[in-house]
Amino acid sequence: MAAAFPEVSKIKYEGPSSRNPLAFRWYNESEMIEGKSMKDHLRFSIVYWHTFRGTGSDPFGPGTAIRPWDDGSPSVENAVKRVRVAFELIEKLGAPYYAFHDRDVAPEGANLTETNKIFDTVAKALKEEQQRTGIKLLWGTANMFSHPRFMHGAATTCNADVFAFAAASVKKCLEVTKELGGENYVFWGGREGYQNLFNTDLKREIDHLAKFFHMAVDYAKKIGFTGQFLIEPKPKEPTKHQYDSDAAACLNFLRAYDLLPHFKLNLETNHATLAGHTMMHELDYTGMQGALGSIDANTGDVMLGWDTDQFPTNYYLTTEIMLMLLKHGGIAPGGVNFDAKVRRESFEPIDLFYAHIGGMDAFAKGLKVAAAIRAEGEFDKFVKERYSSFDSGVGAEIESGKADFTSLETYMLQKGEVSPNKSGRQEYLENLFNRYL
Ligand code: XUL
Ligand code: CO
């Protein structure tokens, strides 16, 4: 097959002074940071859905993207051709991973049997390309939100047949993910949520969701799939209220239904901000509970309140993210997965390269800045000192469980008033952060 991007050769690192828009200025995959290569820290992954299936359509008009290799048909030949193009792009970018939904890579057939057969055919092509290039599958997932049958949800539907169809879809997708050596398996809630409580049995739906996840865990064990299960929180879109609304909601759900040993979270920046959190908050909150699995790297737009899935280019954001990944011991077996799409106006194939190069560079820069911040340890020192009253005396008794209300009252009655508070120094610390940037 002729190259889809003949004008682009393998993207190389040329350093910060490069003026070449098809080169990396920060992402130098073999550069060692904190004893590990940039490639191993970042574990970049390219998504199949936006990058190879996105057309640029929006609620106001059809797609604008020019994709000369894609005839737009739902044929198996077209799907296989797309696989070759996908791997050409991923290989030229030098990303070690990719991720897909079943329906991104393989179209549906007339019935489930045919659909599964088509999926196997395309999976064979994916496997060939993985072997040819060494590119690996970060995660697979089943699309249980696009087809009209999933209008009321998949695992949280009111229709038992739909639940069964969803189970069959995840079963098959787990098998294919295992066959392709997928290192994780993701559940993003899709239509698992509600628009109105007047027609919704909230408890029954959430119980069903837990049952579904237990079935997935059991089946993974049965077939020997050892990848990490991940849940991807999002508060709204497509439903008004998504059950997996944020990290705290997901972790509470997982703990309540004895699923926490089997799942971690896949956190996405634009989902965090839709939930009214920063990505840094979601990462730290999840990391402190040992549940940080992977990230979907993108960004929203401060002026827009929906999931715009833009490529991340803001060094401040990527530094915050990398600070959290380094703090919580890295992201493996997860990765930095670009769940991001080029704008509708960026309709030419070459825009796919500019977008990913920018995202990869922004994360590489963020990694370098985060490592520099950690090397000097100013923030850590400040935080440690801020809580130092808990290191000894009454504070240490509180932390060790020796203190109770009575002993604390006795202590305070003797002392009469608290020791003076110290400044939080937010502005000083924000200035310090900018010094590294
Ligand atoms: C939707 C979203 C999904 C998941 C995979 O907002 O982020 O693409 O990442 O289903
Ligand atoms: Co996502």
Side-chain angles (χ1 to χ4, degrees), residues 273-284:
T273 47
L274 283 177
H277 304 303
T278 61
M279 181 63 161
M280 192 175 179
H281 164 89
E282 290 291 80
L283 289 165
D284 212 16

Side-chain angles (χ1 to χ4, degrees), residues 47 49-50 101 139 186 188 232-234 266-269 271 295-298 307 309 337-340:
V47 304
W49 51 103
H50 292 310
H101 299 85
W139 46 264
V186 164
W188 163 59
E232 183 177 322
K234 182 176 182 180
N266 179 37
L267 298 168
E268 177 166 327
T269 313
H271 296 179
I295 67 167
D296 271 10
N298 63 17
D307 196 12
D309 279 342
N337 179 52
F338 288 108
D339 191 355

Side-chain angles (χ1 to χ4, degrees), residues 1-76:
M1 201 178 121
F5 310 99
E7 74 281 27
V8 182
S9 31
K10 179 124 185 15
I11 307 300
K12 292 200 198 76
Y13 171 70
E14 292 185 2
S17 61
S18 173
R19 291 289 176 266
N20 177 2
L22 289 172
F24 294 121
R25 296 193 305 122
W26 300 106
Y27 183 56
N28 180 12
E29 63 170 39
S30 58
E31 188 175 326
M32 299 300 283
I33 302 219
E34 295 194 9
K36 210 157 81 178
S37 71
M38 271 199 179
K39 185 178 179 184
D40 288 344
H41 272 290
L42 295 163
R43 298 170 58 84
F44 285 131
S45 163
I46 309 299
V47 304
Y48 217 91
W49 51 103
H50 292 310
T51 299
F52 308 112
R53 302 309 310 276
T55 63
S57 68
D58 71 9
F60 307 96
T64 54
I66 295 174
R67 302 290 182 255
W69 57 86
D70 198 315
D71 64 22
S73 80
S75 73
V76 182

Side-chain angles (χ1 to χ4, degrees), residues 166-222:
S169 303
V170 171
K171 176 180 178 289
K172 180 68 188 172
C173 198
L174 271 172
E175 290 162 7
V176 172
T177 301
K178 175 176 186 273
E179 171 65 21
L180 296 177
E183 297 183 21
N184 303 267
Y185 186 90
V186 164
F187 291 95
W188 163 59
R191 294 181 194 274
E192 315 290 28
Y194 62 82
Q195 306 289 7
N196 192 312
L197 281 176
F198 289 158
N199 67 8
T200 302
D201 188 333
L202 192 71
K203 174 158 192 324
R204 216 164 172 186
E205 292 203 356
I206 294 176
D207 283 350
H208 291 174
L209 187 59
K211 276 225 156 59
F212 195 91
F213 287 147
H214 273 292
M215 288 182 198
V217 169
D218 291 346
Y219 191 67
K221 202 183 278 167
K222 189 165 166 191

